[in-house]
Amino acid sequence: MKNWSWRATAFAMLVGSAMADNGGGSPTFWVYHDGVFAWPGDYSFVAVPDYRDKSGAPLSGKYDVKVTVTSPWGGWQPFATNWVFDTTPYNYLRFALKPTIANQTAQVYFMLVGDKPVGKGVDPFKYGPKPVAGQWNVYTIPLADIGVAKTKIYKFAIQDQTGLASNVFYVDDVAFVADAGRP
């Protein structure tokens, strides 16, 4: 019983730290921030995520997520707690991405339980600066543009689209936010 109680308390603290506002009263849900991954895991495909990476010079906190793509079209794909995340309070998916190659291409898409696509894939680089190898940039994608506004989702992916057999990119400060300003 003590072990369960400790785990329940730790989970409540983690979820509480993931849910915040940006100081202006707008809700923010951090999927990954300051080295803390708030969802229970990932189904990354032909890619290996490292949640305690320092080599990417994290944008915030001690760690970032280093995504090592091991075959063409690999991606990072975190999944929500209890297989469902309600996007209703949020209008945007925001994340920082740091490519390691010139001409990085990617897509972002969402899925329901059972690997059912929901919405459509989008090019994240249309929602922020052109990616530059070795440089962090922040991308703020309207959930309406992806087709997942005011609905429930299971997981999302940031997928490499270079077609290279191996690639590395870094991700940090991944959040669902209500407004387009910085959380």
Side-chain angles (χ1 to χ4, degrees):
M1 184 71 169
K2 286 183 181 180
N3 194 26
W4 180 87
S5 177
W6 176 86
R7 287 183 181 171
T9 301
F11 179 75
M13 289 172 56
L14 178 65
V15 169
S17 69
M19 297 172 67
D21 78 32
N22 63 5
S26 296
T28 298
F29 183 92
W30 293 105
V31 175
Y32 187 88
H33 180 63
D34 283 341
V36 176
F37 183 35
W39 280 4
D42 69 81
Y43 290 125
S44 295
F45 47 98
V46 293
V48 179
D50 177 357
Y51 292 95
R52 300 187 59 80
D53 177 74
K54 294 181 179 180
S55 67
L59 193 60
S60 70
K62 290 172 47 174
Y63 306 108
D64 55 39
V65 182
K66 178 181 182 181
V67 181
T68 303
V69 175
T70 59
S71 187
W73 324 117
W76 179 57
Q77 190 174 58
F79 62 85
T81 303
N82 297 322
W83 304 283
V84 66
F85 181 79
D86 187 354
T87 66
T88 301
Y90 312 102
N91 296 311
Y92 302 91
L93 173 66
R94 173 176 298 127
F95 58 88
L97 190 137
K98 180 180 184 179
T100 61
I101 62 163
N103 303 312
Q104 174 71 55
T105 55
Q107 84 166 327
V108 172
Y109 63 88
F110 284 75
M111 303 286 279
L112 300 171
V113 171
D115 289 336
K116 296 176 186 163
V118 60
K120 64 179 184 173
V122 298
D123 176 354
F125 305 133
K126 292 183 178 179
Y127 299 92
K130 180 179 176 173
V132 175
Q135 178 179 310
W136 286 106
N137 281 310
V138 176
Y139 302 93
T140 304
I141 306 169
L143 295 176
D145 286 8
I146 305 172
V148 295
K150 314 294 184 222
T151 190
K152 294 179 179 166
I153 58 96
Y154 170 43
K155 58 189 176 180
F156 67 90
I158 301 174
Q159 181 183 24
D160 178 68
Q161 293 286 291
T162 63
L164 297 172
S166 64
N167 189 11
V168 172
F169 61 89
Y170 300 91
V171 181
D172 205 354
D173 290 348
V174 182
F176 289 91
V177 298
D179 64 53
R182 289 200 58 85

